[in-house]
Amino acid sequence: MKQVVLNLKDGDLTVEEVPIPTIKGSGVLVRNHYSVISAGTESGVVDLADKSLIGKARARPDLAMKVINKAKQDGPISAFQQAMGRLEKREPLGYSSAGTVISVSEDIKDIKPGDRVACAGAGYANHADVVFVPRNLCAKVPENVDFKNACFTTVGSIAMQGVRNADVKIGENIVVIGLGLIGLITLQILKASGCRVFGVDLDESKVNLARELGADLSYSRNSPNLEERIKQFSRGIGADSTIITAATRSNDPVDFAGKITRERGKVVIVGLVGMDIPREEYYNKELEMRISRSYGPGRYDRNYEEYGQDYPAPYVRWTENRNMQAFLDLISMKKISMEPIITHEYEIEQAPEAYNIIKERKPYLGLVLKYDTDKRIEDKVILKSPGPVSAISESFSPVLGVIGAGIFATSILLPNLSKIKGVKLKGLSAASGLSCESVAKKYGFEYCTSDYHKILSDPEINCVSIVTRNSLHASLVIEALKNKKNVLVEKPLALNEEELNAIIEGDYSHH
C-alpha cells in the first residue's frame, strides 16, 4: 500500500510502498477513501524537519533540553546517537481520515466490515491506503455524508471542543478570531447552537467566506474601529465569549480578545498563539481564560484511546469520540458545509505536491488526499531481487527471517547480524507497515511483510528470530518449530510454566 512519510532529519517527504498494518486488539482496519492535510499540526512538523540541527534546537528548545539532560545522565555520545536515531526514523503523517472498515478485532462488537467510519489520531489515521485505528478513535459516518466531508471529523472535533469550552448559550454574541479551517468550522457550529457570530481575520478572502458560511458579521483585523463594530454588534455588552482559532506567535489575538470580551466573559484558546496575557485588562474584567485541548476528554489517555475504556456518559458527556459523532451529525443535518472550505484535492501519489502548497505559503484551506479504493493492496513488499546464499560452512547456510522490528531488533539484533558474513537476511515481519519497511530496507532484507505467516511458510528461510512482545514468544516459537525452523528467541522464552510445557511437549513430527 502507499503511505506518506517524512524524514525528520532532512525534511524529505515521500510516498512509499509499505505492507498494510496488522489488526490488533480493540481496533479496526480501515481502507481510506480520503484524508485531510492539517494546516497547523502537519505543517509545523514539516517545517521543523526542513530546519538544520541548530534550527531544530531553536524551534523546539524542549526537545533540545531532553537531549542535554540525556547527555548529563548517559554521556554525550549516547545522547547524540539516540537523538540521531530518532531523527533518522521516518514518521507517518496525517491524523484525520475516513473510509470503509475491512477488518475488526474480536473484542469489537459495534463495528463490522463494510461500515463507513471517520478516523482520528496521529499515528493511526495516517495518509495511507489502509490504517489501523483503535475503536474510540473511529465514529460511524451517516449514510448521507460522503467520505470527502467525513474525513474532516478530527479537525471538526477540535472546533467542537473549543465551542464546548466556551459553554455558549442560545442568543450569545461570540467572536471568532482566526478564520482558517478550524475557525470556519467553529463559526458554523456556533450558528447551529443559536449564537450570533462575529468573525475576524487578517485575510480578506477568509473574511468574505465567513459571511458566506453564516457569520452575522465578519471583518478584517485591520479594519478601522473594529472594537467599536464589535461593541455595536453585541448591543454595547461586548462578546460573551471570544474563541481564538488563529495560529500565530503574535500576542495580538489574546490582547485583542481582552479588549472586546465583556466583563466576566470567557476567552477560549484553540489555536497556537502567543500567550503573554495583559493582566490589567483581564483582571479588571475578571475574564476567564480557557485552553481547549485537542478534540475532547479522552485525548492523551492511553486507556481510553488505545485500550477502548470509555468514560461513562453521565459523568463525561462529551468525549472525543462523542464529539466526532456530533460533528458528523451536524454535517448530516446540513448544519455544517465543508464543500466551500475544500480548496484542493490530490491523489495520494501527489502528496509531495500537496505539501508544497503549505511549504510555499500558497493560499489554501481544506486540503484533502484521495485514495484508489479499487486497487489491490498487499501485506508483502519486495525490496530487492533474491540473491545467492553465501555458505558459512559446507553443511549449513543460514537464511534468516525476523519477526519483530522493535527496540531490541533495531538496536542489538540486526546491527550485529548484519555484520556476520554468510548470513542471508531474507524476510522481516512487523505489525506496523512503515516500521517494517524502514527497518527491512535499512538492513538489506529481500522483503518485508505485516503477516508473519509468510516468514514461517517461506521454504528458503531456515532460521527465525523472534523479537516481538513477550506475550507472543511462546506461541510463535511453537509455530516456528512446527514449520521446521531453527529458532532464536529474545528472552523470555515463556511467561509461565504452562507456556513452557506447551513448547516442550509440542508435536513437531508431522510438519
Side-chain angles (χ1 to χ4, degrees), residues 466 468-474 477 489-496 499 503:
I466 298 169
T468 61
R469 290 177 294 163
N470 294 348
S471 59
L472 300 176
H473 286 184
V477 166
V489 60
E490 178 193 5
K491 66 177 184 180
L493 172 60
L495 293 181
N496 51 54
E499 288 184 350
I503 295 172

Side-chain angles (χ1 to χ4, degrees), residues 130-301:
V130 178
V131 292
F132 168 79
V133 185
R135 171 62 188 91
N136 281 343
L137 292 177
C138 17
K140 289 186 179 181
V141 177
E143 287 299 322
N144 67 334
V145 176
D146 63 29
F147 287 116
K148 189 190 293 189
N149 285 323
C151 76
F152 285 89
T153 297
T154 309
V155 181
S157 299
I158 294 172
M160 182 76 69
Q161 182 63 11
V163 173
R164 295 203 190 285
N165 274 309
D167 193 23
V168 299
K169 305 294 190 299
I170 295 174
E172 285 192 328
N173 304 303
I174 313 295
V175 174
V176 178
I177 300 177
L179 300 173
L181 178 57
I182 293 179
L184 292 171
I185 295 174
T186 297
L187 79 84
Q188 293 185 77
I189 296 173
L190 289 167
K191 291 302 297 180
S193 303
C195 297
R196 302 176 70 241
V197 183
F198 191 113
V200 177
D201 197 280
L202 290 168
D203 187 335
E204 197 68 47
S205 65
K206 294 177 181 178
V207 167
N208 293 333
L209 182 55
R211 294 193 189 111
E212 294 176 21
L213 290 173
D216 296 277
L217 287 176
S218 186
Y219 283 91
S220 166
R221 175 67 182 92
N222 296 320
S223 298
N225 305 316
L226 186 58
E227 287 183 43
E228 183 59 30
R229 291 179 188 273
I230 294 173
K231 186 175 181 180
Q232 291 176 2
F233 168 75
S234 64
R235 302 182 178 98
I237 297 172
D240 293 292
S241 292
T242 299
I243 301 177
I244 301 174
T245 55
T248 174
R249 293 183 179 180
S250 168
N251 197 63
D252 180 70
V254 169
D255 184 57
F256 184 60
K259 292 181 171 66
I260 62 175
T261 307
R262 67 167 171 82
E263 285 193 29
R264 295 180 176 83
K266 291 182 286 292
V267 175
V268 178
I269 297 181
V270 179
L272 183 60
V273 295
M275 290 184 59
D276 183 11
I277 302 171
R279 186 182 187 280
E280 184 174 357
E281 191 79 57
Y282 278 67
Y283 173 81
N284 288 340
K285 289 185 174 181
E286 201 173 12
L287 295 177
E288 181 179 353
M289 174 175 278
R290 297 183 178 183
I291 311 296
S292 186
R293 187 178 71 174
S294 199
Y295 30 101
R299 189 70 180 107
Y300 309 113
D301 179 352

Side-chain angles (χ1 to χ4, degrees), residues 424-463:
K424 179 179 178 180
L425 301 178
K426 188 171 186 191
L428 174 71
S429 176
S432 165
L434 177 57
S435 295
C436 186
E437 187 265 353
S438 298
V439 174
K441 186 177 289 185
K442 179 178 181 179
Y443 290 101
F445 284 85
E446 286 183 9
Y447 67 83
C448 57
T449 176
S450 54
D451 181 3
Y452 73 88
H453 294 99
K454 286 184 167 57
I455 302 290
L456 299 182
S457 63
D458 189 326
E460 188 182 356
I461 290 176
N462 50 34
C463 298

Side-chain angles (χ1 to χ4, degrees), residues 351-420:
E353 183 180 343
Y355 278 91
N356 280 338
I357 292 177
I358 298 175
K359 289 182 178 182
E360 295 170 7
R361 301 293 192 267
K362 294 180 179 179
Y364 70 95
L365 280 170
L367 206 166
V368 299
L369 297 179
K370 183 180 180 180
Y371 300 84
D372 181 358
T373 56
D374 294 325
K375 73 175 182 179
R376 180 181 174 84
I377 51 176
E378 300 288 348
D379 56 16
K380 179 179 178 179
V381 175
I382 305 299
L383 299 174
K384 65 180 184 179
S385 301
V389 178
S390 301
I392 195 171
S393 71
E394 294 182 358
S395 60
F396 184 73
S397 298
V399 181
L400 185 68
V402 176
I403 303 176
I407 294 175
F408 182 83
T410 55
S411 63
I412 297 176
L413 179 70
L414 293 177
N416 288 290
L417 279 177
S418 61
K419 297 175 184 177
I420 302 175

Side-chain angles (χ1 to χ4, degrees), residues 332-352:
S332 177
M333 292 185 288
K334 312 300 183 186
K335 300 294 185 181
I336 290 179
S337 176
M338 295 305 305
E339 290 298 335
I341 300 176
I342 300 172
T343 56
H344 298 80
E345 178 180 325
Y346 290 90
E347 303 290 334
I348 177 66
E349 295 85 355
Q350 300 172 301

Side-chain angles (χ1 to χ4, degrees), residues 62-132:
D62 55 326
L63 297 180
M65 186 56 63
K66 287 184 178 180
V67 176
I68 293 172
N69 292 335
K70 178 71 174 176
K72 291 178 180 178
Q73 181 178 346
D74 299 331
I77 295 178
S78 175
F80 179 79
Q81 289 175 338
Q82 185 176 9
M84 289 301 100
R86 180 69 181 88
L87 288 175
E88 288 173 358
K89 182 181 178 183
R90 295 184 301 168
E91 286 290 309
L93 292 175
Y95 68 89
S96 188
S97 68
T100 305
V101 175
I102 57 177
S103 179
V104 302
S105 60
E106 293 181 355
D107 57 333
I108 301 299
K109 305 302 181 185
D110 59 340
I111 292 180
K112 63 184 184 300
D115 283 349
R116 305 164 73 247
V117 294
C119 309
Y124 293 115
N126 302 321
H127 302 310
D129 282 317
V130 178
V131 292
F132 168 79

